[in-house]
Amino acid sequence: MKRKTAFILGNLLMGCGLVAMIGSIAVNLASHVFDMGWSELITNGSLFGLFIGAMVWLLGAKIGGRETVSDRYWWLKNHDDKYRRDKHRYL
């Protein structure tokens, strides 16, 4: 698979995973707040949809090449010893 195709497919899967997670949370909260008359299978299945959405999100991140931690995050550059470029310790 070409790099651009993998990037587009990864972004598409990440978007689908995000929609699945938000949708499953919305269904679960709506079924608990409002009396919709849905069966318990749909209510409990929406919680399972949250985990399916997270797995699709992670699959898209893996395919799209975004599974590594980026060096541009401020906390990692300044405070996390594992990712610091400057290994010197001044006393």
Side-chain angles (χ1 to χ4, degrees):
M1 187 179 324
K2 291 184 180 179
R3 181 180 172 98
K4 187 174 182 179
T5 308
F7 182 73
I8 291 172
L9 181 64
N11 284 343
L12 184 68
L13 285 173
M14 287 174 67
C16 290
L18 181 65
V19 168
M21 287 188 286
I22 291 174
S24 65
I25 289 173
V27 167
N28 195 1
L29 289 177
S31 68
H32 285 291
V33 172
F34 306 113
D35 186 25
M36 302 218 177
W38 291 341
S39 69
E40 208 173 301
L41 182 67
I42 293 174
T43 306
N44 293 335
S46 66
L47 283 177
F48 184 66
L50 179 69
F51 295 108
I52 295 297
M55 295 302 285
V56 171
W57 173 280
L58 290 174
L59 178 68
K62 181 76 173 170
I63 291 174
R66 297 175 189 241
E67 74 274 6
T68 59
V69 175
S70 179
D71 191 34
R72 66 177 175 238
Y73 295 117
W74 183 84
W75 181 262
L76 292 178
K77 282 197 291 189
N78 295 315
H79 293 290
D80 197 358
D81 293 334
K82 182 179 176 185
Y83 294 104
R84 285 185 76 150
R85 291 183 181 156
D86 186 17
K87 300 288 185 185
H88 300 325
R89 291 201 160 221
Y90 302 106
L91 299 175

